[in-house]
């Protein structure tokens, strides 16, 4: 698989069914020429473990946990984590 696109998905303590629905939708694409960097920006440990387990079911997803539980949500910082890890232009 040659990745042409990296999708940065930033997340914190939200509905895990939304995560599964999003990744299921992406998995139904005819051509998977993308990679998803799933940036968990400080979810509570129980939720983080559930999400990590879900992401293991999709070979195009890389789960990254940033332990920022006691910091306010910061979309820019979460996106920057993903951008630094991206291997595509």
């Amino acid at each position: 698989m040659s990745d042409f696109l990296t999708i940065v998905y930033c997340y914190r303590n939200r509905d895990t069914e939304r995560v599964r629905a999003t990744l299921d939708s992406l998995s139904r694409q005819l051509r998977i020429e993308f990679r998803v960097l799933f940036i968990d920006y400080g979810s509570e440990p129980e939720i983080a473990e559930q999400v990590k387990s879900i992401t293991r079911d999709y070979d195009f997803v890389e789960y990254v946990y940033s332990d920022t539980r006691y910091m306010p949500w910061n979309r820019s910082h979460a996106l920057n984590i993903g951008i630094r890890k991206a291997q595509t232009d």
Side-chain angles (χ1 to χ4, degrees):
M1 175 172 81
S2 174
D3 297 331
F4 296 111
L5 176 70
T6 299
I7 299 167
V8 179
Y9 188 122
C10 301
Y11 172 90
R12 184 187 220 174
N13 288 332
R14 296 186 73 189
D15 180 20
T16 57
E17 287 307 309
R18 177 180 288 187
V19 173
R20 185 171 300 282
T22 301
L23 298 178
D24 281 347
S25 177
L26 289 170
S27 72
R28 290 189 296 268
Q29 300 302 307
L30 295 177
R31 294 179 59 177
I32 298 182
E33 295 175 335
F34 58 84
R35 175 175 163 217
V36 174
L37 285 174
F38 193 97
I39 309 301
D40 187 334
Y41 193 74
S43 290
E44 295 301 319
E46 316 79 49
I47 295 173
E49 192 53 45
Q50 290 173 9
V51 172
K52 186 176 183 180
S53 177
I54 291 169
T55 62
R56 286 187 194 125
D57 294 338
Y58 305 90
D59 60 355
F60 56 86
V61 178
E62 179 183 343
Y63 177 85
V64 178
Y65 184 78
S66 177
D67 192 2
T68 54
R69 286 178 284 164
Y70 306 108
M71 296 170 58
W73 167 252
N74 187 326
R75 173 179 273 147
S76 296
H77 189 244
L79 286 169
N80 283 331
I81 292 169
I83 291 167
R84 280 193 302 274
K85 290 195 157 291
Q87 296 176 4
T88 57
D89 291 338

